[in-house]
Structure formats: structure tokens, C-alpha cells
Amino acid sequence: MQYNELFKKALAFVLKWEGGFVNDPDDKGGATNKGITQNTYNSYLKSKGMQAKSVRYITQAEVEDIYYKQYWLKSGCEKMSKKFAVLCFDTAVNMGTGIVKATGMTRNEEFLKAAEYKFPEKYIEAKRAKYYEFAKYGNQKKFLNGWLNRLNAVAKFIQTL
């Protein structure tokens, strides 16, 4: 599949942070590889008429296909400015595309509204506040520094676009 340059850059950024296979019992996503959860991979394979297998064995082509169709396009990134596209893609990967608040807004919509749909720094601050909120619950605090480091990195990255 042919991907546009912005998606390729955003994916390269995300994959630097997502790493390889991990099955941390404290991670609510469960087993993941390159940021793709086992459940997401199972659904993807089923949609292709294939048998489930461990996410440990996901291919780069599958990673790209999943991220493009289920995260980039599903989040509407192809319709956004470069900075917001990267911010929303990274959020979708890190927090999920299907997480909806009681207000009916997805996390991306919540952050976009906080940013007044035009101020990336306000989006980043709304996301930072959400990370601190997440860290209050159970064993999630151990992920806070990594989340904040990633957020600082994406803030720097979008300045290059």
C-alpha cells in the first residue's frame, strides 16, 4: 500500500516509542508488539480470514496496515493539519481510538475541543492533564514518566513539520 509522507513520518515517530513485544501485567492493553495489542491483532487477522496468532509474530506490513486503517484514518488524521494529524495519531495509538467519555467525545475530540481546534499547545496540555489523571489509578503511576517523555517528544516533533 502507498502511504503519504506525513503518515510515514508519524508512524516512524510512534514506533520509536512503542518498541517490541511486551506483556506487562500492569498495562491495561495486555500483550502488545509495536504498540498493537493482541486483541487488535486478533480482530485484524479475523477480518482477513486468517487464524489468530501471537502478536509477537506481527509483520511490519501488518503493523503499517493496522496503524493506517484503524488509527490514522479512523481518527480522521488525513483531514487535519500536519501538527494535529500527528498529535491525534499518537493519541489514538497511546490511548486508543475507541475510548469515549461520558460526554460522547473520544479522547482526541476532547483534546481538540480543549485546543479550540487550532492551538496544538493546548491539545498537549489537555493530554498532559489526562496522563496525570490516569496516574492516580492503581498501578498506572509507573507509566507516567514514559507518557510525559513521549508527550514532550511529540511536542518537539510537530515543530519540525
Side-chain angles (χ1 to χ4, degrees):
M1 174 169 260
Q2 201 71 313
Y3 302 112
N4 69 40
E5 282 304 308
L6 185 58
F7 171 73
K8 290 178 190 175
K9 287 179 182 179
L11 181 62
F13 173 83
V14 161
L15 291 176
K16 284 181 192 174
W17 289 92
E18 289 297 338
F21 181 79
V22 179
N23 194 6
D24 187 324
D26 294 331
D27 186 340
K28 294 179 179 190
T32 64
N33 194 1
K34 299 183 181 184
I36 306 291
T37 66
Q38 184 66 58
N39 287 339
T40 298
Y41 191 44
N42 288 347
S43 296
Y44 173 79
L45 291 172
K46 185 178 179 181
S47 77
K48 300 283 185 187
M50 301 168 70
Q51 293 291 320
K53 62 182 174 182
S54 173
V55 72
R56 181 185 304 265
Y57 305 110
I58 195 168
T59 67
Q60 184 62 24
E62 291 170 328
V63 168
E64 291 170 6
D65 196 36
I66 289 168
Y67 275 136
Y68 185 70
K69 291 176 182 168
Q70 296 182 33
Y71 292 81
W72 185 263
L73 294 178
K74 189 173 180 180
S75 296
C77 297
E78 77 284 5
K79 300 172 191 163
M80 298 178 187
S81 70
K82 290 179 180 183
K83 290 179 181 183
F84 277 109
V86 171
L87 286 170
C88 288
F89 177 64
D90 183 63
T91 299
V93 171
N94 189 237
M95 295 181 170
T97 58
I99 299 172
V100 179
K101 293 189 52 83
T103 62
M105 290 191 290
T106 65
R107 295 264 190 253
N108 270 330
E109 290 165 339
E110 175 186 354
F111 300 149
L112 283 166
K113 187 175 179 183
E116 300 171 27
Y117 299 90
K118 59 184 174 183
F119 299 110
E121 60 281 355
K122 288 184 178 184
Y123 183 103
I124 290 165
E125 290 314 307
K127 190 171 174 181
R128 184 180 317 279
K130 187 60 69 177
Y131 283 141
Y132 279 104
E133 183 182 319
F134 287 163
K136 292 178 186 176
Y137 302 104
N139 48 15
Q140 297 303 292
K141 188 174 184 176
K142 80 179 203 179
F143 300 113
L144 182 60
N145 284 338
W147 292 334
L148 296 176
N149 288 339
R150 179 178 180 153
L151 185 60
N152 292 334
V154 78
K156 237 185 214 179
F157 178 70
I158 65 169
Q159 296 310 312
T160 69
L161 301 175

